[in-house]
Amino acid sequence: MGLLERLRKEWFILGIVLVIAVARLEPGVGVKGGPLKPEITITYIAVSAIFFNSGLSLKTEELTSALMHVKLHLFVQIFTLVFFPTAIWVFLQLLSITPINEWLLKGLQTVGCMPPPVSSAVILTKAVGGNEAAAIFNSAFGSFLGIVITPLLLLLFLGSSSSVPFTSIFSQLFMTVVVPLIIGQIVRRYLKDWLERKKPPFGAISSCVLLMIIYTTFCDTFANPNIDLDKFSLIIIVFIIFSVQMSFMFLTFLFSTRNNSTFTPADTVAIVFCSTHKSLTLGIPMLKIVFAGYEHLSLISVPLLIYHPAQILLGSLLVPTIKSWVVSRQKALKLTRQPKAPVKV
């Protein structure tokens, strides 16, 4: 099964999972302590499994070369953690006069403050044939920047009365992101030949883990008996989320393909996905820490819960178009680099 087919299948399965997650819930009943044990499996195992999987599947030489692509990393991180939340804040000043639920609008601001995602951008970048190593690096690097910058952005734009335990967040993310990635790379050194020969389904494994994370997060959110969602606000928020994603993807594409840009087509793919995607696996725990005790925490979390499946759907739909563009650009670059035959006089 190709990556595009797998992404479409993932979206279909995701839709079923979310319907089940909402339909089977009883008011006031969360998932903590349930058969999936999300307080253990999600917090400690799921994210670690995704990054171990990435470390195992990524060629070491590609990751090393990605470390030196400073301009690309600066572009992604500045767009994600500076431009994105600022642009959303300006946009929300206009939306504040509308009848849209104010807590859902605050939730949109939290989306803008989130770091790059754990795996969705990497999966889509690989599906298109983009710079997967750069996507992996920005995922890990953005996660560590997000440890400090995301809580500060949340406090700046939304405010909170709680103290943010940076040390515990940093240590947890180090153990669940960097350590598994390093272990995966070490294991790959000893299993390199076997991995190249068998080609295990790394992408499918990461997708299954991600689905479990989304399922338990939806259960935890919609099990709140006090959650009050009106249909109008929810529909408008969904429309805004898709519009923001499309606009920002187009914007990053224009910037990274300017005439004076040094980015390759593969770099552009990584930039488009990494700059516009937001992390659910890191975002939800951060929201729970920064807004601990908030009465409307569930409503604030809803836009992020919508944004993640939306970015997978939108990205998977754009895969054929972007892949076609990458192939045509790469062919054009090869033609321009070929030496011209001498003209006979």
Side-chain angles (χ1 to χ4, degrees):
M1 181 182 293
L3 283 171
L4 177 58
E5 288 75 15
R6 181 170 56 77
L7 283 169
R8 287 172 176 169
K9 184 177 180 181
E10 176 183 295
W11 172 252
F12 176 73
I13 296 173
L14 177 60
I16 296 175
V17 167
L18 298 186
V19 169
I20 295 173
V22 176
R24 289 178 61 86
L25 290 175
E26 297 177 8
V29 180
V31 296
K32 186 174 181 179
L36 293 179
K37 300 291 182 183
E39 64 274 15
I40 299 174
T41 57
I42 300 301
T43 305
Y44 300 103
I45 299 175
V47 177
S48 300
I50 289 175
F51 275 93
F52 173 77
N53 204 25
S54 297
L56 199 61
S57 61
L58 185 65
K59 295 179 180 179
T60 306
E61 56 272 18
E62 292 180 355
L63 187 59
T64 304
S65 65
L67 297 176
M68 307 307 296
H69 210 331
V70 178
K71 185 178 178 181
L72 187 151
H73 306 323
L74 284 175
F75 185 102
V76 171
Q77 301 305 328
I78 290 174
F79 189 95
T80 304
L81 296 173
V82 179
F83 176 81
F84 203 127
T86 304
I88 291 295
W89 181 83
V90 172
F91 183 51
L92 291 183
Q93 302 312 301
L94 301 175
L95 291 179
S96 61
I97 61 175
T98 66
I100 302 173
N101 188 296
E102 65 171 312
W103 298 105
L104 290 179
L105 293 180
K106 290 180 184 293
L108 277 178
Q109 185 65 70
T110 67
V111 171
C113 298
M114 292 301 149
V118 171
S119 66
S120 61
V122 177
I123 293 172
L124 289 166
T125 300
K126 185 175 182 179
V128 176
N131 192 337
E132 184 189 1
I136 286 283
F137 179 86
N138 278 283
S139 177
F141 184 57
S143 297
F144 278 97
L145 286 180
I147 295 170
V148 176
I149 296 178
T150 294
L152 291 177
L153 288 174
L154 291 173
L155 294 172
L156 173 65
F157 288 109
L158 298 173
S160 175
S161 58
S162 63
S163 59
V164 183
F166 292 108
T167 304
S168 62
I169 299 174
F170 183 85
S171 59
Q172 181 176 328
L173 287 177
F174 181 81
M175 295 303 296
T176 57
V177 175
V178 175
V179 171
L181 186 63
I182 293 174
I183 293 175
Q185 285 284 284
I186 294 173
V187 173
R188 180 180 174 81
R189 291 183 58 186
Y190 297 97
L191 300 178
K192 184 177 180 180
D193 294 337
W194 182 85
L195 292 171
E196 293 292 337
R197 187 172 63 256
K198 295 295 184 179
K199 300 185 183 302
F202 293 114
I205 295 171
S206 294
S207 298
C208 290
V209 175
L210 204 57
L211 286 172
M212 186 174 70
I213 293 172
I214 295 172
Y215 173 79
T216 55
T217 304
F218 261 77
C219 287
D220 194 40
T221 299
F222 288 99
N224 187 343
N226 298 319
I227 191 168
D228 182 22
L229 273 174
D230 63 279
K231 293 181 180 179
F232 170 77
S233 295
L234 189 58
I235 292 172
I236 294 298
I237 290 296
V238 171
F239 175 77
I240 291 173
I241 284 173
F242 275 96
S243 300
V244 166
Q245 285 193 37
M246 285 294 296
S247 300
F248 283 179
M249 288 178 78
F250 182 68
L251 189 62
T252 53
F253 179 81
L254 287 180
F255 271 102
S256 59
T257 55
R258 299 191 318 270
N259 291 331
N260 59 344
S261 172
T262 59
F263 297 125
T264 66
D267 293 338
T268 296
V269 173
I271 287 171
V272 168
F273 287 128
C274 291
S275 299
T276 58
H277 282 208
K278 292 294 184 175
S279 176
L280 176 69
T281 52
L282 296 175
I284 293 299
M286 283 187 180
L287 288 181
K288 290 182 178 179
I289 291 172
V290 177
F291 297 106
Y294 261 49
E295 180 183 356
H296 300 285
L297 175 59
S298 294
L299 283 175
I300 291 176
S301 304
V302 167
L304 183 58
L305 291 170
I306 296 172
Y307 194 96
H308 181 83
Q311 69 191 13
I312 295 175
L313 173 62
L314 199 56
S316 62
L317 291 175
L318 290 174
V319 162
T321 303
I322 298 177
K323 190 171 185 177
S324 176
W325 174 82
V326 170
V327 172
S328 62
R329 280 297 301 271
Q330 288 175 341
K331 288 181 178 179
L333 288 174
K334 286 181 180 179
L335 290 175
T336 56
R337 291 172 182 172
Q338 287 180 354
K340 294 183 180 179
V343 179
K344 294 182 180 181
V345 179

